[in-house]
Amino acid sequence: MTGPRFRALPADGDPLRVLLVGAGGMGRAWLGTVAASPDVTLVGVVDLDPDAATAAADGVPGAVAGTDLAAVAAASGAQAVINVTTPAAHLPVTLQALGLGLPVLGEKPAAASVAEALRLAAAAELAGQLFMVSQSRSHDRHLRRFRDQARRLGPLGVLTTEFFLAPRFGGFRDAMAHPLLLDMAIHPFDAARYVLDAEPVSVYCQEYNPSWSWYAGDAAATAVFEMTGGVRYVYTGSWCSPGLETSWNGGWRLSGAHGTATWDGEGPPRSSLDPAPEPADDGAPGGIAGALAAFVHALRTGTPPRGEIHENLLSLAMVDAAVLSARTDRRVLVAELLDAAHREALAAAGPEREALSSWPSARTPQ
Ligand SMILES: NC(=O)c1ccc[n+]([C@@H]2O[C@H](COP(=O)([O-])OP(=O)(O)OC[C@H]3O[C@@H](n4cnc5c(N)ncnc54)[C@H](O)[C@@H]3O)[C@@H](O)[C@H]2O)c1
């Protein structure tokens, strides 16, 4: 992989003109965040459902609504796309936007599989445009503090996340395969890489659906990852676990040679070595506002952000490797999974094939 190289946009003092694709539940959250940001201005909305696109653009002066991304991009003079479609649509929408020469900020997961995400990394290279995945939960200031505490624990042994909730979404999650691993566990997997500053080597996972589950796909899983440096990351979660629920970030515990840090996923993390209260809020935006600010900063400065597609691939690789392990009931090596995904991506690729075939390895350069 040639790695993240993308065209920066001049910091001309004007807000970035953005086009939102996908005006569903999360799209509405993004509309609020875009409206509140001085960095961007909404110039268009696209959805397969014309009424949803029109309703989302309603009241935004000059915003164009429609069902055709190319047409709305041209009519609105958009400079960037925010892709908030369902995971299955991430590949075609982001491919099209990059092909139009537009940088993309996409909701997690990058795509429905690592093979698809590899095609998007190649398409971003081909277009010379930034594709950043919004991992909103990675912009939490408490997570940053937890990571700082991790640095002081000495050699690390094991990091655990426990995630137990019982949401009734309706919609695509109830019908999709692997709803917990693909739609939710991508958040803690990405955060685990960040906290440990380590990459996944292998995983053993069991995925299952409790008898009372209201999801069609497996809504519970336990996965044991070996990370670089030998540290283990153990994730156990369920999306149909009513009562005494955890936070949406889950409950975290990190054990090192010199001490332990814990985080309930909501408040300040605690460390046995550093009982001082958390420093005051530095005002940096969190959640999707944090992802949007990082995207605009990256475009203005040319500095690759966390979540840039090449960097983000290994978070999705953790998901796919866990799913494969559960399906085959064996330990899966992430390097093998990446090689297989690379072959699959090559077989399916369009114009991005040349960039894909130029990579000596699908393993992201670290
Ligand atoms: N970061 C978070 O905390 C968080 C929370 C919820 C959802 N999400 C992510 O946001 C994304 C959207 O989730 P949602 O809950 O809003 O889903 P949703 O089903 O409510 O909305 C998706 C919208 O995309 C539209 N769409 C689908 N394919 C399209 C295409 N090809 N072109 C244009 N529009 C298309 C649909 O018509 C729908 O309006 C998912 O990737 C999900 O994982 C992230």
Side-chain angles (χ1 to χ4, degrees):
M1 263 181 253
T2 58
R5 286 198 204 108
F6 56 89
R7 262 190 287 289
L9 292 173
D12 53 13
D14 290 335
L16 188 74
R17 296 189 301 276
V18 298
L19 191 169
L20 184 99
V21 188
M26 198 59 192
R28 284 191 289 281
W30 274 99
L31 285 172
T33 296
V34 165
S37 167
D39 297 335
V40 294
T41 186
L42 184 76
V43 295
V45 181
V46 172
D47 200 289
L48 291 177
D49 175 354
D51 294 339
T54 305
D58 193 32
V60 182
V64 184
T67 56
D68 181 337
L69 173 54
V72 174
S76 64
Q79 295 173 291
V81 163
I82 302 177
N83 182 357
V84 198
T85 58
T86 43
H90 288 183
L91 175 74
V93 170
T94 296
L95 269 185
Q96 187 182 7
L98 291 170
L100 293 169
L102 296 170
V104 179
L105 174 59
E107 259 300 345
K108 46 52 63 174
S113 68
V114 177
E116 291 187 1
L118 286 170
R119 289 182 58 192
L120 292 177
E125 288 179 19
L126 184 67
Q129 296 296 343
L130 172 63
F131 171 35
M132 172 182 159
V133 181
S134 169
Q135 294 279 172
S136 58
R137 292 176 183 278
S138 292
H139 295 272
D140 190 301
R141 72 188 173 96
H142 298 308
L143 183 70
R144 281 200 295 278
R145 168 93 166 142
F146 189 49
R147 182 185 203 249
D148 292 345
Q149 291 170 338
R151 296 289 158 276
R152 296 193 283 277
L153 296 179
L156 299 173
V158 63
L159 173 68
T160 62
T161 307
E162 292 190 339
F163 175 91
F164 291 98
L165 285 160
R168 294 198 179 246
F169 296 106
F172 72 89
R173 292 179 191 81
D174 286 15
M176 72 189 280
H178 323 292
L180 179 76
L181 285 176
L182 184 58
D183 197 61
M184 191 63 217
I186 183 88
H187 284 298
F189 291 1
D190 186 67
R193 291 176 55 219
Y194 174 70
V195 167
L196 296 173
D197 197 15
E199 298 299 359
V201 175
S202 69
V203 62
Y204 180 72
C205 178
Q206 288 202 358
E207 198 185 15
Y208 56 99
N209 213 13
S211 60
W212 63 90
S213 170
W214 47 92
Y215 298 82
D218 286 346
T222 296
V224 180
F225 291 91
E226 181 184 344
M227 307 293 286
T228 46
V231 58
R232 299 306 197 267
Y233 172 57
V234 181
Y235 170 86
T236 187
S238 169
W239 235 349
C240 49
S241 184
L244 301 179
E245 295 179 17
T246 63
S247 69
W248 274 88
N249 284 317
W252 294 71
R253 184 177 187 97
L254 176 55
S255 164
H258 307 318
T260 292
T262 59
W263 182 41
D264 68 4
E266 260 166 6
R270 298 168 56 207
S271 167
S272 61
L273 296 183
D274 181 11
E278 179 150 272
D281 188 350
D282 60 7
I288 57 175
L292 182 61
F295 178 66
V296 176
H297 179 264
L299 282 178
R300 295 301 191 197
T301 61
T303 313
R306 185 166 156 74
E308 191 281 333
I309 181 62
H310 297 78
E311 186 278 327
N312 187 254
L313 281 168
L314 286 176
S315 296
L316 189 54
M318 289 174 79
V319 171
D320 277 15
V323 168
L324 180 62
S325 169
R327 199 171 68 225
T328 56
D329 195 19
R330 67 178 175 90
R331 179 171 167 260
V332 166
L333 296 176
V334 172
E336 277 176 22
L337 177 116
L338 286 169
D339 285 344
H342 190 210
R343 288 192 293 276
E344 192 184 329
L346 273 169
E352 71 279 10
R353 178 189 309 273
E354 198 181 322
L356 272 172
S357 29
S358 72
W359 299 343
S361 153
R363 181 99 197 169
T364 307
Q366 295 307 315

